């Protein structure tokens, strides 16, 4: 993952409501959550939620699909995995497995979420 993408992703997550939405989407997995439901769960107006979701989407952390009248948001597992891998790469002098973290090569072969 390039440094500019890491900065964009971390910047997108560095806000209370966006982080809360992202965490809800992580828990939802492949099912995703409708934008209106995210707004309701976080207790913010729909238009504000829309702005936050746009920021997360532009950072490549989430994706959306229209299902009927709803827009369903889901995390992008590879983006999350790459971000976590980037952050853990230098852990324990380049041996993240010593810190209880998977090595980057292990996360690249595992297709499950994170």
């Amino acid at each position: 993952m390039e440094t500019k993408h890491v900065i964009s992703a971390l910047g997108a997550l560095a806000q209370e409501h966006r982080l809360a939405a992202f965490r809800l989407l992580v828990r939802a997995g492949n099912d995703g959550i409708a934008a209106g439901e995210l707004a309701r769960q976080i207790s913010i107006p729909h238009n504000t939620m829309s702005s936050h979701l746009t920021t997360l989407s532009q950072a490549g952390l989430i994706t959306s699909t229209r299902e009927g009248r709803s827009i369903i948001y889901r995390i992008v597992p590879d983006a999350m995995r790459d971000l976590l891998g980037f952050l853990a790469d230098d852990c324990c002098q380049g041996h993240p497995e010593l810190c209880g973290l998977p090595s980057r090569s292990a996360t690249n072969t595992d297709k499950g979420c994170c």
Side-chain angles (χ1 to χ4, degrees), residues 15 17-18 44 47-57:
Q15 198 281 340
H17 297 129
R18 288 193 297 265
I44 62 173
N47 61 335
T48 302
M49 185 79 263
S50 178
S51 174
H52 290 313
L53 292 170
T54 297
T55 300
L56 291 168
S57 182

Side-chain angles (χ1 to χ4, degrees), residues 73-112:
Y73 288 86
R74 295 173 180 86
I75 65 160
V76 177
D78 287 343
M80 189 166 111
R81 192 177 306 113
D82 289 348
L83 178 60
L84 293 172
F86 180 90
L87 294 172
D89 247 5
D90 297 321
C91 181
C92 299
Q93 298 176 332
H95 299 282
E97 65 278 3
L98 296 176
C99 300
L101 300 169
S103 66
R104 193 145 203 198
S105 60
T107 59
N108 287 336
T109 60
D110 176 19
K111 289 301 176 191

Side-chain angles (χ1 to χ4, degrees), residues 62-76:
I62 64 171
T63 188
S64 63
T65 54
R66 180 169 290 280
E67 293 183 13
R69 292 180 51 195
S70 298
I71 298 177
I72 306 299
Y73 288 86
R74 295 173 180 86
I75 65 160
V76 177

